[in-house]
Amino acid sequence: MINKIRRQLVQNAPSILRSPVHLLPHRVQKTALLEGLKLVFQEALADGDFEFLEGKWLKIEIHDLALRWFISYQHPQLIVADRPCQEDVSFSGYLNDFILIAGRKEDPDTLFFQRRLSIEGDTELGLAVKNLMDSVDLEQLPPVLQILLHQLADFVHKGMQMPNTQNEVMNAYSN
């Protein structure tokens, strides 16, 4: 029963979150995104690791939340565009897959080859973004955030692994 509830929560979270997220003013979303990026990429920003993004735009799109952000770098800080602009590279996918990537439960390459993560545009720039994401040391995050991210990714991972129907359960046992 608990496993069924977990699966339903994981499947329905995007539709539950979509309306509240869209009710947040764009300025609040932008501020939260920038502060989160600064926290996660604090060391990379200090080391100048974002210079490859200077004068270029990265679009991040979460399909099931109908959200998209445009991110660039102007030394010494990240910026988020107030309105859509022409992106040089685009990463798009679904909320649960982005959570799995952030929590290191799935590799972006694996999701890309499974067609669950789309990377379009400048291939070299996309690879640089992916490598920067991979280089983040989650141990540098505040302990509370580490625990939250790990537990959320684990919850989503387990919820996505569970069989959906009784027939899938029977097939799993017969194999």
Side-chain angles (χ1 to χ4, degrees):
M1 181 65 152
I2 291 175
N3 290 337
K4 185 175 180 180
I5 293 170
R6 177 194 315 251
R7 182 176 181 90
Q8 290 297 314
L9 282 171
V10 168
Q11 287 178 343
N12 294 318
S15 61
I16 294 168
L17 294 173
R18 188 179 5 228
S19 291
V21 167
H22 283 277
L23 291 175
L24 287 173
H26 181 70
R27 184 175 179 177
V28 172
Q29 291 180 29
K30 178 181 170 180
T31 301
L33 177 62
L34 277 172
E35 292 305 313
L37 289 171
K38 285 181 200 175
L39 180 63
V40 171
F41 293 107
Q42 181 178 7
E43 187 175 315
L45 284 164
D47 292 344
D49 293 345
F50 275 91
E51 289 179 356
F52 71 90
L53 197 55
E54 193 150 9
K56 307 220 183 258
W57 288 96
L58 163 66
K59 179 175 89 171
I60 302 289
E61 185 169 11
I62 304 174
H63 296 302
D64 46 358
L65 289 182
L67 288 176
R68 75 177 61 96
W69 298 290
F70 296 86
I71 303 166
S72 188
Y73 178 78
Q74 288 180 348
H75 187 72
Q77 63 189 9
L78 290 171
I79 57 170
V80 175
D82 290 324
R83 54 183 122 84
C85 56
Q86 182 60 42
E87 71 270 8
D88 295 283
V89 67
S90 171
F91 281 61
S92 58
Y94 295 90
L95 176 63
N96 288 328
D97 290 326
F98 280 116
I99 290 170
L100 294 174
I101 291 169
R104 305 279 164 89
K105 293 289 184 183
E106 288 283 357
D107 178 66
D109 291 329
T110 301
L111 295 180
F112 175 78
F113 288 113
Q114 292 175 352
R115 298 182 185 259
R116 291 167 50 193
L117 175 67
S118 175
I119 304 171
E120 298 175 351
D122 183 333
T123 306
E124 187 176 328
L125 185 60
L127 185 59
V129 169
K130 186 195 91 56
N131 289 340
L132 185 62
M133 289 176 7
D134 287 342
S135 73
V136 171
D137 182 7
L138 297 180
E139 300 294 321
Q140 298 297 321
L141 296 175
V144 171
L145 191 55
Q146 288 179 45
I147 292 167
L148 179 65
L149 181 59
H150 175 72
Q151 288 182 348
L152 178 60
D154 192 50
F155 185 87
V156 169
H157 187 255
K158 288 178 182 175
M160 291 178 73
Q161 300 301 315
M162 293 177 198
N164 194 22
T165 65
Q166 187 65 28
N167 288 339
E168 289 176 322
V169 171
M170 297 306 288
N171 289 337
Y173 285 119
S174 65
N175 289 330

